[in-house]
Amino acid sequence: MKRSPQNKILMIVGDYSEDYEVMVPFQALEMLGFTVDAVCPGKRKGETIRTAIHDFEGDQTYSEKPGHLFRLTASFATVSAEDYAGLYLAGGRACEYLRLEAPVLAIVRAFMTENRPVAAICHGAQLLTAADVVRGRRLTAYPAVEPEVKAAGAHFVATAPEHTVIDGNLATAPAWPGHQTLMRAFVQIIDPNLLN
């Protein structure tokens, strides 16, 4: 029996995605009863990505340390946007190369043009800007992504790391300290009654 798309979330990740921005949302969404298909272009179900831990230690930018091996739960080549209730875009350095993948951008465009739930954290906004789907929208991201957000025609909202910006179907947060507000907003966009 095929599961309802309402129970399924598509999570796009890649090598050197930010560790917390993969592991925490993956586990939180599964805890709430969603099936999360974590995928990476060029990799199959059961293969792994390497994550990176970004921390704020008083330097001019975040530090980066080795994270975990995260096991993918689905094969990128077999996913179809219409099979999912929501799309989660993890942050980290992976976004630099994921935004060059036409199939990734096609998935992002499908969700955004159909006004379906999307969450992006940190550098995940780079996938939104590369897909050219945020013109006129309000969103936040890691502060270093602000020039890209503005160049894509969106309004960048500077906010504290623990805050989330909601604009219709889109929920964005600057970094992993915002997991609580981002996950709550994303889940409420998918199912307004789930957390009540």
Side-chain angles (χ1 to χ4, degrees):
M1 177 182 210
K2 187 174 180 181
R3 294 189 107 166
S4 164
Q6 286 303 100
N7 294 331
K8 292 180 71 177
I9 304 296
L10 183 61
M11 175 183 279
I12 298 180
V13 298
D15 283 317
Y16 300 102
S17 285
E18 206 290 322
D19 188 82
Y20 287 0
E21 294 170 5
V22 175
M23 305 283 274
V24 172
F26 180 86
Q27 293 169 345
L29 290 165
E30 291 236 321
M31 183 270 307
L32 288 171
F34 291 101
T35 297
V36 182
D37 283 353
V39 299
C40 175
K43 295 195 179 197
R44 295 184 308 273
K45 179 180 180 177
E47 293 184 317
T48 60
I49 60 161
R50 288 188 182 275
T51 66
I53 295 172
H54 293 158
D55 213 346
F56 308 101
E57 301 176 301
D59 302 309
Q60 291 180 328
T61 189
Y62 54 83
S63 63
E64 186 171 76
K65 300 171 182 66
H68 295 88
L69 290 178
F70 178 80
R71 191 164 310 282
L72 301 169
T73 58
S75 299
F76 183 84
T78 63
V79 298
S80 180
E82 63 266 10
D83 293 336
Y84 297 93
L87 174 65
Y88 175 86
L89 304 173
R93 273 194 301 128
C95 299
E96 294 173 1
Y97 79 86
L98 291 173
R99 65 184 167 168
L100 304 176
E101 295 280 340
V104 168
L105 300 183
I107 289 170
V108 172
R109 282 188 200 104
F111 273 89
M112 291 297 289
T113 58
E114 295 168 12
N115 204 34
R116 294 170 57 211
V118 175
I121 192 165
C122 197
H123 289 75
Q126 291 180 311
L127 302 180
L128 296 166
T129 60
D132 193 23
V133 293
V134 291
R135 198 164 304 282
R137 303 293 297 267
R138 293 177 67 253
L139 65 142
T140 193
Y142 188 70
V145 183
E146 180 178 355
E148 289 176 60
V149 170
K150 289 180 174 179
H155 174 69
F156 183 84
V157 179
T159 188
E162 62 273 9
H163 292 162
T164 289
V165 173
I166 303 165
D167 184 350
N169 68 309
L170 179 62
T172 55
W176 56 259
H179 278 141
Q180 297 92 324
T181 57
L182 180 64
M183 289 295 95
R184 178 172 291 283
F186 184 46
V187 169
Q188 286 180 328
I189 294 168
I190 295 168
D191 182 352
N193 299 313
L194 185 64
L195 298 176
N196 292 338

